[in-house]
Every structure is written in structure tokens, then in C-alpha cells.
Amino acid sequence: MVDDPGHARRTPCGTGSSDEVIDTVELRPRLPALQWWVLSIVAVVVVLSVVRAFGPLTYPGDIWRQSDTATIARNFATNGMNIFFPQINWGGAGPGYVETEFQLLPWLTAVLYLVFGEHVVLGRLISLGFMLVAAAAFWGLARRLLPATAARWALAAFFLSPAFMRWGTAFMPEATVLAFYMLAVLGFCRWLREDRVIFLVWAAAATSMAALVKPTSLHIGAVLGLWLGFAARGRLRRPSLYVAGLAALVAPVLWLRQAAWLHATYGNTFGVISGGDSKWGSLELWLSPGFYVGNFRSEAIFIYGLIGVPLAVLGAVWLWRRRSSTSLTVPLLAAGVIALAVYYFAVGRYSSTDLGIQYHVYSLPYAALAIGAGFTPVLHWARRRWSLPIIGVTGAAMAVLLGAQAVNVFIQSLSDRSGVFGACATQLDAVSGPWDLVVVSTTSRTIEDGVTNNYQEPIVFFLADRRGWSLPADKHDPGSVEGLRAAGAGFLVVGDPQLVPSGGPLASWLADNASQIRSSAQDGCAIWDLNQSPRSSSASAGRSAPDSKNPRGNP
């Protein structure tokens, strides 16, 4: 053992007092290495993930977000690579600039589009790359916080989680944000352990990137603050900590100002900060049993893979009993649980529903650490009773059970689940041109449960590569459709026939003022040509197209 000449000797990450954990450290600590069985699990999951990346955009709760992300990538490649002006297709006759998170994933995808052409799989493989970065950072954390066996099983649990399979190759920012989130936690652990300012800078930079990619990741500030308070309170007096924290906020704040300006100027938003949608929970929601059942269901199924729940509870108990030798692990898990609980309450409108399952991706590292710890007492008990071959078979069986829900995710993801949206996109593509502006009906309302709601439906716009307006369920009336036709809309697309009931005001107006060219009963989707009334003999074909070189405008 060699003393660090530049610092006092410090103890490893898992030892020390609660007031100032870090007093001494090994200069070159011996960290657990990967073993063949862990690498085998990693290889199988990665291969299945690549196969899934070549499949269709899937899951009713995810495909809407993937459609928007893929649309933004397409528009970057088509209309210019200005990352500060992301464009969606449901912005009406305007350019479609939208308030959203910093679009790193779509921009990187667009770079590949310019080289290889537009292939959605490229964006999904970039997501997989970010997920592998997250896994590598998690391994760096786990082997510093857990004993060797527990650390290896924690990494296995990370890969076997349904979250890895579902979002590891989704055209969504979840894998991207998780990569920076894990890098931030790893950097902070190394700062706690080695007390070198470079790791504090590392943690701040990664936190800043995570907040850019998804502002919901800002709860990591509470995680790190609580972790420090639980494990090394003495460092709370250091000015460098607060300088790093403020520095981490500079880029996200500047981007959110730009995003809010886009909303104010062009009227399009994902509901990030300036309005247009509300994710906040409410007292009424928090008092309802459904809030707790919904959050537990999402965690148990899509993060823990069901069998991981009892293993994580066992792991938490095992770690607590050995907290004197795992003095950074227990505080981290406690900090994670507290911060995530507050976070899920804050975004309760979505966190407890199927539309917000992706909000739970941040639970993955904490769940995997606890599950990995839970394997340790199980294997210790088995070693005292069974032979090595039986223990090996038991471990393999537990890994299979832990990954069963991930396999279910994989199987379901191979089927095209675009449903009526796919049918509408196919029919719309057959009757319209790329220059036509369209109105796409949606079952979402402008106000849901008393709060503003993002009702836009991007799937048809993406699949058909058309621009136009989304028509919310509470705006299916002659005045609204007439107003959009006056603004330039040429087609009305309705996937749910209940939105235009026979004999209703809108159905009667359409019968007098538009020509139905596709029906739900025959074609799976109803489409009206708004520029061709039944009494008119003029054809809609031949309408002049706008400048095809720049139909949407560039900043």
C-alpha cells in the first residue's frame, strides 16, 4: 500500500464515520472484476436489444414519445442542424419549433441520417450506446459500494431489468439521461472517496448534461445532497460544493429560457416549464389509493421485474445490518428512496399511470444495488447446504426469473402496435402529398382532470410524414374544423369514429362541406378531403405545393 503524497490517506468508499466518512483511501484499491457469467448475461441482453432496435416503434405508452423524438431527428436532418430549434410536425402551418428538452439524442441521430440516410434504427442504437454507458458507470459505482458477489449480481440485475430492455433501445431520451445520471453519481462517489476536486467537477458536468436532456433528473441534486448529509456532513461546509452545484445549473437554465421562448413565439410545447401541460400531483391525487398502487405497479413490473422486489427488501435488510462496513451504500439508497419519493409525488399526474412509466427509469440503479445485495445472503445460505453445481443451477434459475419480465418486454416489442394510427398513416399517405397540411383527430382533451393537457398526437404525423394540427376530443365541432381549413388544412383524419358520431353537428357539417374519401369500416380510418365538397366537381389533386426545399422554414 502506497500513501497518496498529495492527500491524507483515506478509507474505501464503504467505510468511515457518519460525520466525515472520507479520512483515508487506498491509492489503487482492489475493485471486483467481472466474471464470465456476468459477461454472458450482458452479451445475451445486448444481442436481444440490438434485435429489438430493428423492430417497430412499440408500446402504446411509448410510441407517442418515440414518434416525436424521431420526427425531430428527421427535421434536423431535413431542415438544418440547428440544435436550438427543434421542430415537430403538429405545429400547424408554422415551422413547428417547440419547447422541449435539449434534443441531444435526435441531433446525434440526425448526424447519422446525413451519412447513412434516415433509418429509425440508428436513433435506437444510439440509445443503446447511452444505456451501455449507464451500465458501465453503474458497474463503477457498484464495485465501489458493494462486496464483489453483490456488485456482480447488481450489474446482472441492471441488465436483466425490464427497464433496460424497454428503454435501452427506445427512441426516447431515457437511456441518454440515465447515462449522465449514473456518471454524476459515480463522480460524486469518487469525490467522496478520494476527495479530489476533479471528481466534483465531473459530477457537476454530468448533472448539468442530465438536466439538459431531461429536467426531471434535477432531483439528483436532492440525492447527492442527502447522500452527503448522511455520509459526510463535514463537507457541507465547503464552498466548492455550492460553486459546483450552481455551475451545474447554468446550462439547463439557459436552455429552459430558450425553450420557453420557443413556446411563447411559436405556441408549441411538451409542457417542460412554460405551460401547455401539467405534470404536477395534487392533494386529491396523493390521497387516492390509485396513486400508490400505480407507482408500485410501475416499479415492481418495469424496474424490479417482480422477483426483484423481495430480493431488494432482503438486500436492504442485509446492508442495514452491515452498515458499519457499507457506510456509503446505505446512505445512498436512503437518499435515493427519499428523493425519488418526493419526485414521484411532484410528477404524480403521470408517475402513477401507464403514460408515465418512463418516469421511473431513475429507480433502476437503486433497485439494482439492493437486488445485488439481496443475492448475497441467499447464496451464503445455499453454500452451507448445497453442492456447488446445485448452487450454480439455482443462481441461473434466479437470473432467469429476474429477467423473465424483460423477456416479456422483448417479445411484445417485436409486434407492430401502431394500431389505428398505422392504418391512418397508411391511408393518409395514399390520398395526400407531403406538402398537404392535415388535421389529425385525437381522443385526448385540452383539459384533463381540471388541468391543461398536452393533447397532441404525433404518431400519424410521423408515420405519414405530414404536417398540420392535432384536433383534441373537445374541439370536434364545425367551428374548429372550419377554422383549421381556413388556416390551410386540406384533410381531416379521424381514427376513432365515436369522435364524429353519425348525425352529430360535425358529421352534418362534413357531409355538406367535405368529401369523405376513406371510412373507418372499410379502411380502418376515416379521412375527409376538406377542399372538396360533395357538390363540387373540382379535384383536390393538383394543388400547388410550397417550396419543397424549405417548406417549414429555418431559423
Side-chain angles (χ1 to χ4, degrees), residues 95-118:
Y97 301 131
V98 62
E99 177 197 33
T100 183
E101 306 96 339
F102 188 70
Q103 295 297 297
L104 178 61
L105 172 63
W107 191 87
L108 292 175
T109 303
V111 172
L112 295 186
Y113 282 0
L114 294 176
V115 178
F116 301 104
E118 183 183 339

Side-chain angles (χ1 to χ4, degrees), residues 12-77:
C13 212
T15 63
S17 69
S18 62
D19 182 62
E20 182 63 58
V21 162
I22 315 302
D23 294 322
T24 60
V25 71
E26 295 176 283
L27 182 62
R28 292 182 177 84
R30 294 182 180 179
L31 299 176
L34 290 173
Q35 292 186 340
W36 67 268
W37 62 271
V38 184
L39 293 173
S40 298
I41 291 174
V42 170
V44 170
V45 172
V46 170
V47 169
L48 292 179
S49 296
V50 171
V51 172
R52 183 177 185 270
F54 281 88
L57 298 180
T58 188
Y59 278 102
D62 291 348
I63 190 173
W64 62 271
R65 180 57 198 264
Q66 296 189 83
S67 296
D68 262 334
T69 308
T71 297
I72 292 172
R74 173 190 289 162
N75 286 336
F76 276 142

Side-chain angles (χ1 to χ4, degrees), residues 21 27 79 103 114 136 149 156 253 256 290 374 417 432 440 515:
V21 162
L27 182 62
N79 301 325
Q103 295 297 297
L114 294 176
T149 298
V253 168
L256 289 175
R417 293 174 177 264
S432 65
V440 177
S515 177

Side-chain angles (χ1 to χ4, degrees), residues 158-345:
F158 190 96
F159 274 91
L160 292 172
S161 170
F164 190 104
M165 186 60 67
R166 179 158 181 168
W167 297 301
T169 51
F171 210 144
M172 299 167 66
E174 271 59 39
T176 309
V177 71
L178 191 61
F180 292 116
Y181 189 95
M182 288 311 310
L183 287 170
V185 177
L186 174 60
F188 201 76
C189 177
R190 296 198 64 177
W191 176 67
L192 285 174
R193 184 171 179 274
E194 301 176 40
D195 198 10
R196 295 170 59 192
V197 70
I198 185 62
F199 294 118
L200 186 59
V201 173
W202 167 348
T207 297
S208 186
M209 286 303 302
L212 278 169
V213 174
K214 278 189 79 73
T216 52
S217 66
L218 280 170
H219 74 268
I220 193 176
V223 174
L224 302 183
L226 288 169
W227 191 12
L228 185 61
F230 293 152
R233 289 189 296 271
R235 295 200 188 182
L236 289 171
R237 296 189 294 267
R238 296 189 182 183
S240 59
L241 177 69
Y242 302 97
V243 171
L246 291 174
L249 294 176
V250 172
V253 168
L254 291 175
W255 170 252
L256 289 175
R257 288 189 61 186
Q258 162 71 4
W261 177 83
L262 290 174
H263 180 206
T265 305
Y266 299 99
N268 307 309
T269 179
F270 282 8
V272 177
I273 190 172
S274 66
D277 186 65
S278 175
K279 300 174 177 64
W280 302 112
S282 63
L283 182 60
E284 180 182 6
L285 178 66
W286 298 332
L287 294 176
S288 66
F291 171 76
Y292 301 94
V293 172
N295 275 290
F296 178 77
R297 174 183 175 273
S298 294
E299 291 278 313
I301 295 176
F302 295 103
I303 303 299
Y304 290 82
L306 296 178
I307 193 178
V309 173
L311 282 170
V313 172
L314 181 61
V317 173
W318 184 83
L319 287 169
W320 176 256
R321 290 178 175 176
R322 290 156 181 79
R323 58 189 180 276
S324 62
S325 60
T326 56
S327 59
L328 280 188
T329 313
V330 173
L332 173 59
L333 292 180
V337 168
I338 295 171
L340 286 174
V342 173
Y343 163 67
Y344 292 142
F345 270 81

